């Protein structure tokens, strides 16, 4: 156990070697104001592997930062077992399970990567990726928790993230399972499960990047909930399942907020208390979908439905503004099958 009496503390500071953790516990903590603590700080190009044991970083000073693994220069960080944990337990503190500064690869195939914070101004990141195009979750669990503020399961600033298996679990006042930030960010979700709990939740938030979803499950258990939220990026949803068990007033399986086109096919959405698909702008093309919702599809611009099965409480399709082109559609609705308001 290492306690930082200065501003920076290291459990392991790896300058030029290779690190492999198979058992035992590494704990580093700081109570310093603006202090930084690293469970493993990797300055070497050689690999860091966590196969077992625990790597724990604690930040308890105001404006402090904790980081389970900080990869400055490594070509590969692998978590195949064990636990990597970062805690932020002070005002304006930040916790990172893994922070990837370089172009090196991050691979989680087992074990857990966790990030936790407990105060209103603290923020948690399970995995934070700056630029690497090789971030892979193919097993294990990435967890981000913020009792009173924001948490991100995987935050992808400008690289590429692939989710092929495993679990992302987020519990926060405002939480994001996968956050795809910039125009150079790519997220490819093929399988696995994203579970969201909290006041406002986004299973996948595509701010400006390129998003592809071909499988997996997004489960929404919070209040205001969005399975997939496409802000100004490009999104193709060609598979997977979105289950919204939330009971709040704003629940959306898929929300398209921008003017780009969106393709949806082979997708199942269950949002009985909310909207299956909400198209604010752009052209929404639905090749095939199974939707159970209060309102199946809400359109504010242009929607093309080539094939869909919709079970709705209020509206199968609500065309508020713009065009709705329907090729093949089965609707069961308690009120309106198709309602054209414009």
């Amino acid at each position: 156990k290492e306690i930082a009496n200065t501003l920076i503390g290291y459990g392991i500071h790896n300058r030029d070697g290779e690190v492999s953790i198979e058992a035992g516990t590494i704990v580093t903590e700081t109570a310093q104001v603006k202090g930084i603590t690293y469970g493993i700080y990797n300055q070497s190009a050689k690999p860091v592997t966590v196969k077992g044991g625990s790597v724990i970083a604690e930040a308890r000073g105001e404006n402090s930062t904790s980081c389970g693994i900080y990869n400055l220069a490594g070509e590969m960080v692998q978590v195949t077992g064990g636990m990597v944990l970062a805690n932020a337990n002070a005002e304006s503190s930040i916790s990172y399970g893994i922070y990837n500064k370089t172009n090196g690869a991050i691979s989680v195939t087992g074990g857990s990567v966790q990030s936790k914070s407990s105060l209103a101004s603290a923020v948690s990141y399970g995995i934070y990726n700056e630029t690497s195009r090789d971030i892979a979750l193919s097993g294990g669990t990435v967890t981000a928790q913020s009792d009173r503020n924001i948490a991100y399961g995987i935050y992808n600033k400008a690289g590429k993230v692939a989710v092929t298996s495993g679990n992302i679990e987020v519990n926060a006042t405002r939480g994001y399972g996968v956050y795809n930030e910039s125009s150079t960010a790519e997220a490819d979700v093929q399988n696995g499960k994203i579970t969201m709990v909290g006041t406002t939740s986004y299973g996948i938030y595509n701010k400006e990047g390129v998003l592809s979803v071909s499988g997996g499950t997004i489960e929404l258990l919070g209040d205001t909930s969005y399975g997939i939220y496409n802000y100004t990026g490009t999104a193709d949803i060609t598979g997977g399942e979105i289950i919204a068990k939330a009971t709040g007033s704003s629940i959306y399986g898929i929300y398209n907020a921008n003017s780009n086109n969106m393709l949806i096919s082979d997708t199942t959405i269950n949002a009985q208390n909310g909207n299956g698909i909400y198209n604010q702008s752009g052209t929404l093309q639905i090749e095939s979908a199974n939707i159970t919702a209060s309102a199946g599809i809400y359109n504010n611009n242009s929607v093309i439905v080539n094939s869909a099965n919709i079970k709705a409480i209020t509206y199968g399709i609500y065309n508020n503004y713009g065009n709705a082109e329907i090729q093949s559609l089965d609707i069961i609705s308690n009120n309106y099958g198709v309602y054209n308001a414009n």
Side-chain angles (χ1 to χ4, degrees), residues 157-242:
K157 184 177 181 181
K160 184 175 181 178
V161 170
V163 180
T164 59
S165 187
N167 299 285
I168 298 171
E169 299 173 354
V170 178
N171 189 335
T173 301
R174 187 164 85 246
Y176 303 86
V178 176
Y179 189 99
N180 210 33
E181 182 183 338
S182 68
S183 60
T184 58
E186 295 183 38
D188 181 10
V189 179
Q190 302 173 28
N191 211 329
K193 185 176 183 180
I194 299 172
T195 304
M196 306 298 300
V197 179
T199 305
T200 303
S201 299
Y202 302 84
I204 301 172
Y205 189 100
N206 188 38
K207 185 179 179 183
E208 297 178 7
V210 176
L211 172 65
S212 173
V213 179
S214 57
T217 300
I218 299 172
E219 187 172 40
L220 307 172
L221 303 173
D223 298 328
T224 298
S225 297
Y226 303 83
I228 297 171
Y229 191 105
N230 189 42
Y231 184 58
T232 61
T234 301
D236 286 341
I237 316 301
T238 59
E241 182 178 21
I242 300 170

Side-chain angles (χ1 to χ4, degrees), residues 254-270:
I254 297 173
Y255 191 108
N256 186 40
N258 71 37
S259 59
N260 290 331
N261 297 342
M262 176 184 273
L263 172 67
I264 298 173
S265 65
D266 296 328
T267 302
T268 298
I269 300 171
N270 191 332

Side-chain angles (χ1 to χ4, degrees), residues 81-110:
M83 178 182 70
V84 178
L85 169 63
N87 273 327
N89 295 311
E91 292 289 345
S92 302
S93 57
I94 303 174
S95 63
Y96 302 94
I98 297 175
Y99 191 113
N100 194 40
K101 180 73 174 177
T102 184
N103 290 327
I106 303 293
S107 173
V108 180
T109 62

Side-chain angles (χ1 to χ4, degrees), residues 21 28 32 72 85 119-120 190 193 202-204 214 229 251 277 339:
I21 308 296
T28 177
Q32 300 289 315
L72 178 65
L85 169 63
L119 296 179
Q190 302 173 28
K193 185 176 183 180
Y202 302 84
I204 301 172
S214 57
Y229 191 105
I251 300 166
I277 300 172
Y339 186 93

Side-chain angles (χ1 to χ4, degrees), residues 108-161:
V108 180
T109 62
S112 66
V113 177
Q114 303 178 37
S115 177
K116 298 179 180 180
S117 62
S118 57
L119 296 179
S121 55
V123 182
S124 294
Y125 299 85
I127 297 174
Y128 187 103
N129 178 48
E130 283 207 8
T131 61
S132 173
R133 299 192 61 78
D134 193 1
I135 308 299
L137 174 64
S138 59
T141 301
V142 175
T143 301
Q145 178 180 330
S146 179
D147 293 344
R148 294 160 60 190
N149 201 25
I150 305 171
Y152 303 86
I154 298 177
Y155 189 104
N156 186 36
K157 184 177 181 181
K160 184 175 181 178
V161 170

